Amino acid sequence: MERSTRAVPPPRFQRLAGLLFASVLVGACSAGSPSSAPASGAESTSPTAATSASAGSSSAPSGASATVEMWSWNNEGAYPDVHKDAQSRFETANPGLTINRTYIAYGDYMTKLKTALAAGSGPCIAQIPWAGEFRDLVNSGQLMPLTDAVKTGFPTFFDPIVKAVTFNKDMWAIPLDVNTLQIAYNKTLFDTLGLAIPKTQSELQTIVDKLKTNGKFGIAVGNKDQWSGGDLFFAQVAYADGTNTMLSKADAGQIQWDDPVFLKAADAVAAMVKSGVFAPGANSMAAFVGNQDLFVAQKAGMMYPVGNFVTAGITAKVGNSFEWGLFPFPPPDGSTAAPVATGGIAEMFVVTKACATPDKAIEFLRYLTNDDGGKALVANDFIPSWNYPVPSDKSALYKNMVEAQSTAMSRVIYTTKVYTALLNSMQGVMEGTKTGQDLIDSLVAAAK
Amino acid sequence: MERRASEPTEQDGVSSRPASGRRRPDSMKPMIADSTQRVATAARSGWRSFLAPGIALVAPAVLTFGAFLVLPLVSVFLISTLHWSGYRLGDWTFVGADNFARMFANAVFWKAFANTVVFTVTTTLILNVVGFGLALLIASRVRGHVIARSVLFIPVLMSPVIIGLMWSRILDAFGAVNQVISIFNPLAQPILFLGSGDLALPSIIVATVWQYAGYDMLLYYAGLQRLPTEQLEAASLDGAGHRASIRHVILPSLYPVIGTVVLLNVIGGLRIFDIVYVMTSGGPDRASEVMATYMYQAAFKLSDMGYASAIAVGIVVISVGAALLRQRWGGLR
């Protein structure tokens, strides 16, 4: 009798175990359920918040009140101010409509976006890098074409910019602003050493030699995160290809990557590396960290690449130590081309098919790019992707960037395998272990 | 008297032999049979009643294990047979073993594989030697050993991302190490630890050893604490010096610990990602590419989920292989 009562658990224990099991199940289910819509003007930067917010992003009704989820990685600098300004105007003009801005670190951004879209719970509006991921996303069928929408209430965007976001005759993104990549130089140091802005690459070499004899490095490049090396190549392609069409043609498979234009550009970079134009350690310095430190500490006389996305940071760090300015990468000797910068889209947004209220999302993009939107961009030293008058009180640096934008050459390869091969091989070129021909061979192999 | 665990009793529902070994009278047989049957039935129904709470108690663990280990593992195996960009769930093509064929034919994969093996073997060797040495030092109760034990373990508690960032700045062309070198040789060109193909992987190995030496030290220290002092005393009385004691007493006693530490280091080495990603992102020009960074690039930069899954399967197979090898490793079981 005693044995049998020991073998059977008391009813209270059974109920307790059942309750525990049920509570675990309920807990698990509730953890996966969508969270409630975020409060008006909500702004989140944590991945957890991003996940919970995304779950509710596309469930908003298309009636009077709705929440439009927007994802971006640009939570540094003044971009959030521009977004917030548009949000404020939009929500005031559209009572009941809310924009929920979520900022996700760039390193995780595409991973999270891809996962959310595959799960059918992506944001309405998403910032997209002007790179291969954009074309992959278009091809995936997850985006809404904006060709018709852009005809009403949007400014007339720069033509090359429109072409850059057009695939299969449809426009897939709204470009907010553009940027240019140039060489930053220590104006005070140049003046002290009697140096002038170089007009050719041999003049650049002379400047570097003079800097070196005075204990300074030439151009500081941070190529640990690779993309700067890609831009060095694009800067040379801008001169090797006077038509500004070869990159897009090769990218589309219309010409081969072993075209002499690309070899000339690759050889030009390799030659500059060999002659010591760049500060040592490019591959071990992150862009805007190590190379910026060298420039700000006046150990390097120049820094590349620099655009409006980093000018405020440099100005803040430099303070009153020295004056600095910008000039485009100079053309090779014998070239008849005028110095040109490379450039393109800085921030652009797409509307996803996961969006339950695409009309509201597009309306918000109109607020980002209308006259007030342009004003907010210019006030924060960004360059709108459409013609916008430059106020006379803007800095010389800003005016320089706007002027450079008018002739800027393309700097994009959409085929991710080719772009990745370029970035990896450019590290080899910067290290001096790869030649221009090696780089071209890697592009050809990646394009197969 | 306390019953031995292996000794069957009636409570276990198994008929027992009489303790004396003498035969029972026949008249007792029906009584015993009846009693045994009743006990067995009661026990069976009793254990059955434990089924529901038993399942309830293990369910959370089983569900978690299934959802976060078995399901992803099975998914990875399935996805490795597909061509899938990862943007749309239903948008895939079955390609069979094509991803594996591509993987084996790709020079970058073999480079990543070789780097992973070099990283794993080197870190495992150095970590064990350094960890064991530190443990011996701490166990010898040198002055300050308590503080040293804590300080050496602090890096283990830190995120590999932080460690990676820290070492990136230390090994920068103009970082702390190069600045120290320039004090002694002002004309020396900076050493490009992370920017040179020859030095990038060794630099990551140094940072990894710095972070995890304290972990191995702690495991070895715990093992040393369990060593019977009698054996060491006996060895000492027999005239064994320090080296002989370590070789013939301490190390053989630590074989199970060594086996575990080596296995942990090997598995940790094979799946290394974060510190490599932060310090070099696999560069320069793939010089420090390991399988996990290569897999990440294939999945999230090249949108080639099938191929990335094939690499993941490779990592799983190698890791399981390493674990099996360890199990079969003679004296270290």
Side-chain angles (χ1 to χ4, degrees):
Chain A
M1 190 64 186
E2 192 186 341
R3 283 195 299 267
S4 68
T5 48
R6 235 184 258 159
V8 180
R12 187 181 293 175
F13 177 76
Q14 281 182 329
R15 280 200 297 273
L16 190 68
L19 202 65
L20 183 69
F21 184 49
S23 65
V24 167
L25 279 181
V26 170
C29 292
S30 61
S33 66
S35 63
S36 56
S40 173
E43 183 179 340
S44 164
T45 54
S46 75
T48 316
T51 310
S52 65
S54 73
S57 64
S58 58
S59 60
S62 56
S65 72
T67 298
V68 176
E69 179 75 18
M70 172 188 146
W71 283 15
S72 167
W73 65 80
N74 267 335
N75 65 339
E76 289 176 355
Y79 273 115
D81 295 339
V82 173
H83 304 156
K84 197 175 177 181
D85 173 79
Q87 177 185 345
S88 170
R89 289 183 282 110
F90 174 80
E91 288 178 352
T92 307
N94 299 279
L97 297 182
T98 306
I99 302 295
N100 186 55
R101 290 180 285 123
T102 299
Y103 295 95
I104 300 166
Y106 182 70
D108 300 329
Y109 185 81
M110 283 309 295
T111 310
K112 284 182 187 296
L113 181 66
K114 188 184 281 190
T115 309
L117 289 175
S121 61
C124 268
I125 300 170
Q127 186 187 353
I128 291 294
W130 186 46
E133 288 94 335
F134 174 48
R135 193 169 71 176
D136 291 346
L137 203 51
V138 170
N139 290 336
S140 75
Q142 297 276 23
L143 303 184
M144 289 192 59
L146 302 171
T147 316
D148 292 331
V150 82
K151 289 173 184 165
T152 316
F154 283 97
T156 305
F157 298 111
F158 295 133
D159 193 46
I161 299 301
V162 172
K163 282 180 183 160
V165 293
T166 301
F167 293 113
N168 305 327
K169 296 178 182 172
D170 266 319
M171 188 169 167
W172 298 94
I174 298 298
L176 179 65
D177 67 322
V178 291
N179 58 26
T180 51
L181 302 182
Q182 299 186 80
I183 296 174
Y185 73 106
N186 185 326
K187 210 173 167 194
T188 308
L189 184 64
F190 268 47
D191 290 346
T192 309
L193 298 176
L195 304 172
I197 291 174
K199 296 284 185 291
T200 63
Q201 286 179 9
S202 64
E203 285 182 24
L204 178 69
Q205 183 68 54
T206 307
I207 288 172
V208 170
D209 292 343
K210 193 146 191 184
L211 284 169
K212 280 183 176 176
T213 51
N214 284 277
K216 311 286 181 189
F217 295 114
I219 305 175
V221 178
N223 194 37
K224 188 174 137 185
D225 29 14
Q226 298 188 322
W227 65 271
S228 303
D231 275 298
L232 274 173
F233 175 74
F234 294 141
Q236 306 317 309
V237 172
Y239 294 118
D241 165 30
T243 63
N244 196 22
T245 57
M246 301 288 270
L247 263 185
S248 57
K249 280 182 182 170
D251 200 16
Q254 292 162 2
I255 60 168
Q256 297 302 306
W257 284 104
D258 55 5
D259 190 282
V261 162
F262 301 120
L263 181 60
K264 197 175 170 185
D267 280 342
V269 183
M272 280 187 276
V273 170
K274 203 172 176 185
S275 62
V277 167
F278 306 107
N283 289 336
S284 63
M285 293 186 285
F288 315 138
V289 184
N291 64 333
Q292 190 171 307
D293 289 348
L294 279 187
F295 181 68
V296 171
Q298 303 197 59
K299 286 181 179 171
M302 294 170 278
M303 169 183 166
Y304 182 84
V306 174
N308 58 341
F309 43 88
V310 72
T311 49
I314 295 174
T315 303
K317 281 189 176 178
V318 167
N320 296 321
S321 306
F322 60 89
E323 274 188 69
W324 67 283
L326 294 165
F327 63 80
F329 214 104
D333 294 8
S335 170
T336 52
V340 288
T342 52
I345 302 168
E347 193 174 91
M348 64 186 200
F349 292 97
V350 295
V351 177
T352 71
K353 281 189 177 166
C355 185
T357 55
D359 51 334
K360 307 287 189 293
I362 290 167
E363 187 60 16
F364 174 65
L365 293 176
R366 288 193 180 101
Y367 275 79
L368 265 175
T369 53
N370 64 13
D371 269 358
D372 287 331
K375 194 177 169 185
L377 283 168
V378 173
N380 288 289
D381 279 355
F382 296 120
I383 305 169
S385 55
W386 64 97
N387 254 325
Y388 192 89
V390 180
S392 56
D393 61 344
K394 291 303 289 182
S395 67
L397 212 58
Y398 182 81
K399 286 174 183 166
N400 169 307
M401 289 186 291
V402 172
E403 192 184 328
Q405 184 58 47
S406 61
T407 56
M409 307 289 256
S410 178
R411 49 175 287 266
V412 71
I413 294 174
Y414 284 119
T415 311
T416 44
K417 277 187 181 173
V418 174
Y419 186 55
T420 304
L422 170 68
L423 300 190
N424 280 309
S425 295
M426 272 305 298
Q427 282 196 323
V429 171
M430 294 301 285
E431 194 189 344
T433 55
K434 273 194 171 170
T435 63
Q437 186 62 54
D438 294 335
L439 185 148
I440 295 303
D441 291 346
S442 71
L443 299 187
V444 171
K448 276 180 184 169
Chain B
M1 201 176 79
E2 194 175 317
R3 179 173 69 86
R4 272 179 285 165
S6 58
E7 195 177 334
T9 67
E10 289 182 353
Q11 283 163 307
D12 298 332
V14 180
S15 71
S16 61
R17 287 174 59 204
S20 64
R22 281 179 295 172
R23 287 176 63 90
R24 289 188 182 100
D26 285 350
S27 59
M28 286 181 72
K29 280 182 180 172
M31 283 174 63
I32 292 170
D34 182 48
S35 166
T36 306
Q37 196 175 357
R38 273 192 289 116
V39 168
T41 308
R44 268 201 301 273
S45 68
W47 285 117
R48 201 174 294 137
S49 66
F50 271 124
L51 192 64
I55 289 173
L57 288 170
V58 299
V62 170
L63 285 175
T64 308
F65 184 78
F68 295 108
L69 194 86
V70 178
L71 194 63
L73 204 60
V74 172
S75 304
V76 162
F77 274 91
L78 290 176
I79 295 170
S80 69
T81 63
L82 308 177
H83 177 70
W84 182 47
S85 70
Y87 280 107
R88 194 182 274 273
L89 279 181
D91 191 15
W92 51 264
T93 316
F94 179 76
V95 294
D98 189 45
N99 287 322
F100 292 95
R102 277 171 60 206
M103 185 174 86
F104 291 128
N106 194 323
V108 179
F109 167 77
W110 289 111
K111 173 84 177 169
F113 176 75
N115 282 341
T116 307
V117 171
V118 168
F119 177 88
T120 305
V121 172
T122 315
T123 51
T124 301
L125 281 173
I126 301 175
L127 276 171
N128 277 273
V129 171
V130 174
F132 179 65
L134 289 171
L136 280 177
L137 263 178
I138 300 291
S140 64
R141 307 209 179 280
V142 289
R143 195 179 180 133
H145 72 277
V146 178
I147 295 172
R149 193 176 56 196
S150 307
V151 169
L152 288 167
F153 195 69
I154 287 174
V156 181
L157 304 174
M158 293 167 75
S159 156
V161 175
I162 303 293
I163 302 289
L165 287 171
M166 188 184 80
W167 276 94
S168 294
R169 293 314 292 263
I170 291 172
L171 299 174
D172 193 78
F174 306 95
V177 174
N178 275 306
Q179 284 185 29
V180 170
I181 291 170
S182 70
I183 293 170
F184 299 103
N185 184 4
L187 298 175
Q189 280 289 312
I191 300 171
L192 308 176
F193 292 101
L194 302 178
S196 149
D198 296 332
L199 296 176
L201 193 60
S203 300
I204 296 168
I205 289 170
V206 167
T208 307
V209 168
W210 183 85
Q211 176 169 27
Y212 291 109
Y215 183 68
D216 283 20
M217 173 204 74
L218 206 71
L219 293 174
Y220 279 121
Y221 181 70
L224 288 172
Q225 297 304 299
R226 294 178 59 199
L227 271 186
T229 50
E230 296 84 356
Q231 284 183 16
L232 284 170
E233 283 165 6
S236 178
L237 287 172
D238 287 344
H242 286 301
R243 197 180 294 176
S245 293
I246 290 172
R247 188 176 166 191
H248 297 295
V249 180
I250 296 177
L251 279 177
S253 305
L254 285 179
Y255 275 170
V257 180
I258 295 172
T260 305
V261 177
V262 166
L263 180 67
L264 290 172
N265 290 164
V266 167
I267 290 175
L270 290 174
R271 64 179 181 79
I272 191 72
F273 172 79
D274 30 27
I275 203 162
V276 178
Y277 191 74
V278 171
M279 287 183 73
T280 62
S281 299
D285 195 17
R286 312 272 193 194
S288 59
E289 196 84 81
V290 290
M291 286 175 75
T293 53
Y294 183 47
M295 175 187 72
Y296 177 83
Q297 187 186 62
F300 298 111
K301 287 193 176 171
L302 303 179
S303 297
D304 200 347
M305 288 292 186
Y307 185 66
S309 298
I311 301 167
V313 168
I315 296 174
V316 169
V317 168
I318 296 167
S319 299
V320 171
L324 290 175
L325 266 180
R326 185 261 161 188
Q327 274 196 336
R328 293 180 64 87
W329 198 354
L332 296 185
R333 264 179 285 184

Short mmCIF file of all heavy atoms in Angstrom, two decimals, chain A residues 238-260:
data_model
loop_
_atom_site.label_atom_id
_atom_site.label_comp_id
_atom_site.label_asym_id
_atom_site.label_seq_id
_atom_site.Cartn_x
_atom_site.Cartn_y
_atom_site.Cartn_z
N ALA A 238 37.11 56.52 -64.19
CA ALA A 238 36.49 57.78 -64.63
C ALA A 238 37.34 58.46 -65.71
O ALA A 238 36.79 59.12 -66.60
CB ALA A 238 36.33 58.71 -63.42
N TYR A 239 38.67 58.28 -65.64
CA TYR A 239 39.54 58.90 -66.65
C TYR A 239 39.81 57.94 -67.82
O TYR A 239 39.90 58.36 -68.96
CB TYR A 239 40.86 59.32 -66.02
CG TYR A 239 40.67 60.44 -65.00
CD1 TYR A 239 41.00 60.25 -63.67
CD2 TYR A 239 40.12 61.66 -65.40
CE1 TYR A 239 40.82 61.27 -62.75
CE2 TYR A 239 39.92 62.67 -64.47
CZ TYR A 239 40.27 62.47 -63.14
OH TYR A 239 40.07 63.47 -62.24
N ALA A 240 39.96 56.66 -67.49
CA ALA A 240 40.24 55.69 -68.56
C ALA A 240 39.05 55.58 -69.50
O ALA A 240 39.21 55.33 -70.70
CB ALA A 240 40.56 54.33 -67.94
N ASP A 241 37.86 55.77 -68.96
CA ASP A 241 36.64 55.71 -69.76
C ASP A 241 36.01 57.11 -69.81
O ASP A 241 35.30 57.50 -68.88
CB ASP A 241 35.67 54.70 -69.13
CG ASP A 241 34.26 54.85 -69.69
OD1 ASP A 241 34.13 55.26 -70.86
OD2 ASP A 241 33.29 54.55 -68.95
N GLY A 242 36.26 57.79 -70.86
CA GLY A 242 35.71 59.14 -70.97
C GLY A 242 34.21 59.17 -71.17
O GLY A 242 33.56 60.20 -70.95
N THR A 243 33.64 58.03 -71.54
CA THR A 243 32.21 58.03 -71.86
C THR A 243 31.33 57.83 -70.61
O THR A 243 30.12 58.03 -70.66
CB THR A 243 31.89 56.88 -72.83
OG1 THR A 243 32.19 55.64 -72.17
CG2 THR A 243 32.72 56.99 -74.10
N ASN A 244 31.90 57.40 -69.51
CA ASN A 244 31.16 57.11 -68.28
C ASN A 244 30.08 56.05 -68.51
O ASN A 244 29.00 56.09 -67.92
CB ASN A 244 30.52 58.40 -67.73
CG ASN A 244 30.08 58.24 -66.28
OD1 ASN A 244 30.57 57.36 -65.58
ND2 ASN A 244 29.13 59.06 -65.85
N THR A 245 30.35 55.11 -69.41
CA THR A 245 29.35 54.08 -69.71
C THR A 245 29.92 52.67 -69.57
O THR A 245 29.18 51.70 -69.50
CB THR A 245 28.83 54.21 -71.16
OG1 THR A 245 29.97 54.13 -72.04
CG2 THR A 245 28.11 55.53 -71.38
N MET A 246 31.27 52.58 -69.54
CA MET A 246 31.89 51.25 -69.60
C MET A 246 31.57 50.39 -68.37
O MET A 246 31.37 49.18 -68.49
CB MET A 246 33.41 51.38 -69.75
CG MET A 246 33.84 52.14 -70.98
SD MET A 246 33.58 51.18 -72.48
CE MET A 246 35.14 50.33 -72.59
N LEU A 247 31.54 51.03 -67.22
CA LEU A 247 31.24 50.27 -65.99
C LEU A 247 29.88 49.60 -66.10
O LEU A 247 29.75 48.41 -65.83
CB LEU A 247 31.24 51.21 -64.78
CG LEU A 247 32.49 51.33 -63.92
CD1 LEU A 247 32.22 52.22 -62.72
CD2 LEU A 247 32.97 49.97 -63.43
N SER A 248 28.89 50.38 -66.48
CA SER A 248 27.53 49.82 -66.55
C SER A 248 27.43 48.77 -67.65
O SER A 248 26.72 47.77 -67.50
CB SER A 248 26.49 50.92 -66.74
OG SER A 248 26.78 51.64 -67.90
N LYS A 249 28.18 48.98 -68.74
CA LYS A 249 28.14 47.99 -69.83
C LYS A 249 28.77 46.67 -69.38
O LYS A 249 28.23 45.59 -69.64
CB LYS A 249 28.89 48.53 -71.06
CG LYS A 249 28.06 49.50 -71.91
CD LYS A 249 28.86 49.93 -73.12
CE LYS A 249 28.05 50.95 -73.94
NZ LYS A 249 28.87 51.57 -75.00
N ALA A 250 29.91 46.77 -68.72
CA ALA A 250 30.57 45.54 -68.25
C ALA A 250 29.72 44.86 -67.18
O ALA A 250 29.62 43.62 -67.14
CB ALA A 250 31.94 45.88 -67.68
N ASP A 251 29.09 45.68 -66.37
CA ASP A 251 28.23 45.14 -65.31
C ASP A 251 27.04 44.38 -65.91
O ASP A 251 26.59 43.37 -65.37
CB ASP A 251 27.72 46.31 -64.46
CG ASP A 251 27.24 45.87 -63.10
OD1 ASP A 251 27.55 44.74 -62.70
OD2 ASP A 251 26.54 46.65 -62.44
N ALA A 252 26.57 44.88 -67.05
CA ALA A 252 25.42 44.24 -67.71
C ALA A 252 25.86 43.11 -68.63
O ALA A 252 25.02 42.48 -69.28
CB ALA A 252 24.65 45.29 -68.49
N GLY A 253 27.17 42.86 -68.73
CA GLY A 253 27.66 41.77 -69.56
C GLY A 253 27.77 42.13 -71.03
O GLY A 253 27.97 41.26 -71.88
N GLN A 254 27.63 43.44 -71.36
CA GLN A 254 27.69 43.85 -72.76
C GLN A 254 29.13 43.93 -73.27
O GLN A 254 29.39 43.80 -74.46
CB GLN A 254 26.99 45.20 -72.94
CG GLN A 254 25.48 45.09 -72.72
CD GLN A 254 24.84 46.45 -72.47
OE1 GLN A 254 25.49 47.47 -72.48
NE2 GLN A 254 23.53 46.43 -72.23
N ILE A 255 30.06 44.20 -72.36
CA ILE A 255 31.50 44.13 -72.70
C ILE A 255 32.19 43.31 -71.61
O ILE A 255 31.61 43.08 -70.55
CB ILE A 255 32.16 45.53 -72.82
CG1 ILE A 255 32.04 46.30 -71.48
CG2 ILE A 255 31.57 46.33 -73.96
CD1 ILE A 255 32.89 47.54 -71.43
N GLN A 256 33.40 42.91 -71.90
CA GLN A 256 34.13 42.07 -70.95
C GLN A 256 34.93 42.93 -69.96
O GLN A 256 35.31 44.05 -70.28
CB GLN A 256 35.08 41.13 -71.69
CG GLN A 256 34.38 40.15 -72.62
CD GLN A 256 33.38 39.27 -71.88
OE1 GLN A 256 33.74 38.63 -70.91
NE2 GLN A 256 32.13 39.25 -72.33
N TRP A 257 35.22 42.36 -68.81
CA TRP A 257 36.01 43.08 -67.82
C TRP A 257 37.48 43.16 -68.19
O TRP A 257 38.23 43.91 -67.56
CB TRP A 257 35.85 42.43 -66.44
CG TRP A 257 34.53 42.75 -65.80
CD1 TRP A 257 33.46 41.92 -65.70
CD2 TRP A 257 34.14 43.99 -65.21
NE1 TRP A 257 32.41 42.56 -65.08
CE2 TRP A 257 32.80 43.85 -64.76
CE3 TRP A 257 34.77 45.22 -65.02
CZ2 TRP A 257 32.09 44.87 -64.14
CZ3 TRP A 257 34.06 46.25 -64.40
CH2 TRP A 257 32.74 46.07 -63.97
N ASP A 258 37.90 42.38 -69.20
CA ASP A 258 39.31 42.51 -69.59
C ASP A 258 39.50 43.58 -70.66
O ASP A 258 40.54 43.62 -71.34
CB ASP A 258 39.87 41.16 -70.06
CG ASP A 258 39.05 40.53 -71.17
OD1 ASP A 258 38.10 41.20 -71.64
OD2 ASP A 258 39.36 39.40 -71.56
N ASP A 259 38.52 44.44 -70.80
CA ASP A 259 38.65 45.58 -71.71
C ASP A 259 39.86 46.44 -71.27
O ASP A 259 40.08 46.63 -70.07
CB ASP A 259 37.37 46.41 -71.66
CG ASP A 259 37.33 47.47 -72.74
OD1 ASP A 259 38.00 48.51 -72.57
OD2 ASP A 259 36.64 47.24 -73.75
N PRO A 260 40.62 46.96 -72.24
CA PRO A 260 41.83 47.76 -71.89
C PRO A 260 41.53 48.95 -70.96
O PRO A 260 42.41 49.35 -70.18
CB PRO A 260 42.31 48.27 -73.25
CG PRO A 260 41.78 47.28 -74.23
CD PRO A 260 40.51 46.76 -73.68
#
